[in-house]
């Protein structure tokens, strides 16, 4: 067999496999390249995957000691779709909130909503009552499916917002409605009829930005499905580029382990949604436990692992302690944050059967973006990779919107049908980042003559703590609520395990005093625990200023970290 380059392999697959044929489409007045023959929406993606999932008989979903075949998963999805429509009167385009830790019910409800054209509102399970209130008001979701902790946090909002809460698992006894009872009493387990357009809204995911409140990223069905097939084509291309590929060898069924939150795009799109047409089995962890992850990978013969770099590091520690080699893993990816370069070689040594991978994507792009794996990643551990084809276009722009030459730093700007439709209820913020189909990402980087992209900095004031995005202004808004705080500025503090954690410089009001513990305890009622600064520096003089009299975040960060160890 002749080994192809990536460009040759992609051209070959597009020309010979109808599933990956590309055409042009006008979307909201802008022309894009799109896959011509893919399922038109997420519900169709689910049912088009039936054959790949053993005609329904294959074991599909594993959660602790519970197991679903694909047929059983479809039955639960269909039942809950009828519950949404018949019991709660949910109509096409209506927002439905999901607020829970990783569990099968989350995946079932995403598909149930998609099946009737409702819009899933992914709610961050770590948010406080105050943060939950903002998202529910912003999205208009009044029906929410939630586990026990989230039911408790939303109870103060029930009357004011008119919420109907369906309890899931440990939330069934405390919420007004029970998921199990509703599913059991559903009027049908047949696929519901629904008139869904490919450019209808599929989901709202909240993403931290440079403003003090998270933005609701509106994703369409076309965006999600085209992202999925952009990843799927790489699996079809891989044998054409592998000199050691044996075409007569029996195929290995892919199996994935989901360890990151399903309310984030890293878990939903390139893991859950991709698993459907890929014919993959899915194992889901409710919370991260490295030793448990090793056991699941070993016992379920997991082939694909995608987590934040911290989880890759934890996995290696657990492997050493347990004496496990995990030979079935053939892919170990990193999302949510950049992997430390030193980790690349260590993973390759410990997992010789696995292609170590990296990538870049955003909630605003349905996670579609840039990636690489294996030898090319080992050779360029500081880079992000090449843009996933064949639908994306990539540019690097200066502050005036002009393209910069290869090798020079500019703002990464991308165009594809996977880009979001808008920021919910934020036309000005949408206009700032979307123009003629191009999305300004806020990330600064460069592309070399071979097409490899490196991200060097962020224009956005975002701290990435173990893969979780934290807006500095979100933290600062909460800090300014404290009666002793005259001025506050948040910034990242390097951390060996998490990559970054939150730090803050605070000017105290005259005549007041406070300790870091006081500030941290106060913040617990206002922002999620992972956003609370772990390091706080106090001063009585004003924080440093730049030329425009704005707080100089970088100068303050350097000043505070000067003696930090």
């Amino acid at each position: 067999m002749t080994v192809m380059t990536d460009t040759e392999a992609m051209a070959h697959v597009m020309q010979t496999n109808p599933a990956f044929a590309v055409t042009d489409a006008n979307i909201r007045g802008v022309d894009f390249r799109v896959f011509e023959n893919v399922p038109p929406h997420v519900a169709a993606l689910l049912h088009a995957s039936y054959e790949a999932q053993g005609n329904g008989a294959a074991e599909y979903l594993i959660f602790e000691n519970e197991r679903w075949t694909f047929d059983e998963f479809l039955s639960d999805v269909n039942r809950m779709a009828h519950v949404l429509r018949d019991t709660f009167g949910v109509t096409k385009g209506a927002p439905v909130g999901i607020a829970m830790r990783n569990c099968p019910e989350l995946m079932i409800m995403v598909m149930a909503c998609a099946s009737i054209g409702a819009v899933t509102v992914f709610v961050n399970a770590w948010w406080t009552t105050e943060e939950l209130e903002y998202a529910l008001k912003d999205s208009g979701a009044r029906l929410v499916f939630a586990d026990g902790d989230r039911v408790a946090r939303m109870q103060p909002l029930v009357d004011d917002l008119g919420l109907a809460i369906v309890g899931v698992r440990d939330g069934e006894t405390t919420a007004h409605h029970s998921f199990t009872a509703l599913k059991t009493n559903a009027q049908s387990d047949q696929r519901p009829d629904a008139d869904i357009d490919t450019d209808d809204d599929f989901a709202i995911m909240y993403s931290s930005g440079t403003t003090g409140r998270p933005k609701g990223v509106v994703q369409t069905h076309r965006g999600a499905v085209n992202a999925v097939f952009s990843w799927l084509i790489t699996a079809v291309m891989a044998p054409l580029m592998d000199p050691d590929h044996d075409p007569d060898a029996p195929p290995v069924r892919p199996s994935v382990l989901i360890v990151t939150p399903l309310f984030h795009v890293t878990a939903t799109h390139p893991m859950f949604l991709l698993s459907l047409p890929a014919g993959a089995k899915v194992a889901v962890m409710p919370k991260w436990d490295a030793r448990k992850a090793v056991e699941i990978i070993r016992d379920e013969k997991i082939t694909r692992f995608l987590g934040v770099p911290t989880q890759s590091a934890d996995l290696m520690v657990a492997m050493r302690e347990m004496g496990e080699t995990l030979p079935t893993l053939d892919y170990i990816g990193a999302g949510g944050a950049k992997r430390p370069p030193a980790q690349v070689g260590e993973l390759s040594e410990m997992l010789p059967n696995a292609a170590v991978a990296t990538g870049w994507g955003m909630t605003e792009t349905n996670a579609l973006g840039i990636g690489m794996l294996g030898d090319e990643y080992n050779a360029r551990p500081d880079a992000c990779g090449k843009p996933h084809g064949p639908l994306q276009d990539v540019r690097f722009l200066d502050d005036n919107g002009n393209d910069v030459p290869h090798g020079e730093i500019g703002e990464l700007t991308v165009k594809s049908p996977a880009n979001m439709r808008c920021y919910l209820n934020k036309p000005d913020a949408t206009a700032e980042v979307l123009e003629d189909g191009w999305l300004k990402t806020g990330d600064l980087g460069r592309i070399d003559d071979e097409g490899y992209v490196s991200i060097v900095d962020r224009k956005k004031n975002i701290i990435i703590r173990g893969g979780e995005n934290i807006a500095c202004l979100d933290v600062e808004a909460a800090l300014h609520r404290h009666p002793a705080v005259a001025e506050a500025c948040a910034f990242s503090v390097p951390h060996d395990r998490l990559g970054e954690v939150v730090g803050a410089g605070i000017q105290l009001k005259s005549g007041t005093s406070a300790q870091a513990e006081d500030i941290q305890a106060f913040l617990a009622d206002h922002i999620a625990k992972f956003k609370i600064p772990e390091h706080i520096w106090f001063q009585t003089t004003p924080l440093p200023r730049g030329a425009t009299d704005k707080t100089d975040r970088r100068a303050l960060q350097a000043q505070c970290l000067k003696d930090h160890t």
Side-chain angles (χ1 to χ4, degrees):
M1 184 187 78
T2 302
V3 177
M4 299 182 185
T5 66
D6 55 353
T7 302
E8 293 169 341
M10 181 164 289
H12 175 80
V13 172
M14 290 166 60
Q15 292 167 7
T16 60
N17 190 329
F20 300 103
V22 172
T23 187
D24 294 325
N26 188 275
I27 307 170
R28 298 179 294 277
V30 178
D31 291 330
F32 292 88
R33 294 190 305 278
V34 301
F35 287 117
E36 184 175 11
N37 300 318
V38 297
H41 47 74
V42 172
L45 175 72
L46 174 67
H47 293 278
S49 303
Y50 194 75
E51 182 178 353
Q53 294 289 347
N55 291 316
E59 188 171 65
Y60 173 62
L61 178 58
I62 299 165
F63 180 76
E64 298 184 323
N65 296 321
E66 303 170 44
R67 293 174 181 266
W68 282 253
T69 65
F70 195 69
D71 270 333
E72 290 167 340
F73 181 73
L74 281 180
S75 176
D76 284 354
V77 167
N78 293 339
R79 285 177 175 275
M80 293 311 298
H82 285 286
V83 166
L84 288 173
R85 183 180 281 174
D86 301 335
T87 303
F88 294 104
V90 175
T91 56
K92 176 182 174 180
V96 177
I98 299 179
M100 61 188 77
R101 280 187 177 272
N102 284 2
C103 64
E105 288 81 357
L106 193 159
M107 300 164 68
I108 290 165
M109 290 313 305
V110 170
M111 287 301 167
C113 290
S115 295
I116 62 169
V119 179
T120 298
V121 179
F122 289 90
V123 179
N124 191 314
W126 297 333
W127 279 346
T128 64
T129 298
E130 187 176 308
E131 292 165 314
L132 290 167
E133 181 180 22
Y134 169 79
L136 295 176
K137 284 183 175 179
D138 184 58
S139 66
R142 295 299 176 263
L143 172 63
V144 187
F145 289 75
D147 61 11
D149 283 349
R150 267 45 66 178
V151 171
R153 292 180 204 175
M154 287 188 290
Q155 284 297 342
L157 309 175
V158 169
D159 291 338
D160 287 347
L161 298 185
L163 298 181
I165 302 178
V166 177
V168 171
R169 299 204 169 243
D170 60 348
E172 295 209 4
T173 58
T174 54
H176 185 68
H177 302 279
S178 158
F179 180 93
T180 301
L182 290 168
K183 185 182 73 173
T184 301
N185 297 321
Q187 296 183 16
S188 173
D189 66 353
Q190 299 301 301
R191 180 181 178 181
D193 295 327
D195 180 19
I196 306 169
D197 185 80
T198 190
D199 291 313
D200 284 343
D201 293 343
F202 156 60
I204 298 167
M205 278 190 165
Y206 280 87
S207 175
S208 294
T210 55
T211 60
R213 293 290 193 180
K215 299 185 183 75
V217 177
V218 180
Q219 302 167 340
T220 67
H221 286 270
R222 191 200 299 265
V225 173
N226 276 263
V228 166
F229 274 77
S230 295
W231 297 310
L232 193 61
I233 194 174
T234 62
V236 179
M237 292 163 51
L240 303 175
M241 301 182 291
D242 182 4
D244 299 321
H245 174 65
D246 180 1
D248 298 322
V252 176
R253 187 189 182 199
S255 54
V256 304
L257 176 60
I258 294 179
V259 298
T260 58
L262 277 159
F263 51 77
H264 282 333
V265 71
T266 301
T268 52
H269 290 54
M271 296 297 276
F272 171 31
L273 295 183
L274 178 59
S275 75
L276 298 168
K281 177 177 72 174
V282 179
V284 179
M285 293 187 70
K287 62 185 293 186
W288 175 242
D289 180 321
R291 295 181 69 90
K292 183 65 176 176
V294 170
E295 293 174 356
I296 295 172
I297 294 169
R298 178 195 65 203
D299 297 343
E300 301 296 338
K301 297 180 171 55
I302 297 296
T303 64
R304 182 179 175 89
F305 178 94
L306 175 60
V308 297
T310 300
Q311 291 169 321
S312 295
D314 292 347
L315 193 71
M316 288 191 288
V317 171
M319 287 173 62
R320 292 188 188 100
E321 292 175 349
M322 299 168 70
E324 297 288 350
T325 58
L326 306 183
T328 62
L329 271 184
D330 62 23
Y331 175 97
I332 180 162
K338 185 178 179 180
R339 175 179 276 134
Q343 191 184 93
V344 181
E346 189 177 6
L347 283 167
S348 297
E349 183 176 340
M350 283 202 69
L351 295 160
N353 295 337
V356 182
T358 189
W360 169 96
M362 300 175 69
T363 308
E364 288 87 340
T365 67
N366 277 277
L368 184 62
I370 297 162
M372 63 178 169
L373 75 171
D375 292 341
E376 60 178 348
Y377 185 23
N378 283 321
R380 304 168 184 83
D382 288 316
C384 293
K386 291 183 177 181
H388 288 290
L391 308 181
Q392 284 193 109
D393 292 310
V394 173
R395 303 168 68 188
F396 286 85
L397 306 178
D398 63 21
D399 289 340
N400 296 318
N402 300 315
D403 291 276
V404 301
H406 281 193
E408 293 192 12
I409 294 175
E411 181 176 5
L412 174 59
T413 308
V414 297
K415 179 183 178 182
S416 90
N419 283 355
M420 69 174 183
R421 180 173 69 79
C422 67
Y423 287 126
L424 184 66
N425 302 323
K426 290 179 170 56
D428 291 343
T430 302
E432 286 179 9
V433 300
L434 270 181
E435 184 177 0
D436 296 328
W438 289 93
L439 174 73
K440 300 175 182 177
T441 68
D443 288 314
L444 298 175
R446 62 171 72 90
I447 187 168
D448 66 21
D449 291 335
E450 295 180 274
Y452 288 97
V453 172
S454 298
I455 304 296
V456 298
D457 203 350
R458 294 189 298 274
K459 294 181 85 172
K460 304 173 183 178
N461 294 320
I462 294 290
I463 299 165
I464 304 180
R465 181 189 183 277
E468 189 71 27
N469 286 359
I470 302 168
C472 287
L473 292 187
D474 197 9
V475 177
E476 290 161 11
L479 285 167
H480 280 98
R481 289 171 173 256
H482 193 284
V485 174
E487 187 178 17
C489 179
F491 48 82
S492 65
V493 176
H495 190 279
D496 288 342
R497 181 172 174 273
L498 297 171
E500 297 175 340
V501 294
V502 183
I506 293 176
Q507 179 194 1
L508 294 173
K509 292 179 181 177
S510 177
T512 66
S513 63
Q515 301 295 319
E517 294 80 4
D518 303 329
I519 300 292
Q520 291 161 340
F522 173 85
L523 292 177
D525 292 331
H526 299 286
I527 54 176
K529 183 179 179 180
F530 69 91
K531 299 179 185 179
I532 296 174
E534 295 188 23
H535 305 278
I536 298 176
W537 289 264
F538 295 99
Q539 60 187 63
T540 56
T541 55
L543 302 183
R545 292 286 194 275
T548 59
D549 204 37
K550 293 181 180 179
T551 304
D552 190 333
R553 191 181 309 276
R554 291 191 179 185
L556 177 64
Q557 180 188 40
Q559 172 185 309
C560 293
L561 296 184
K562 184 178 180 181
D563 300 318
H564 176 73
T565 57

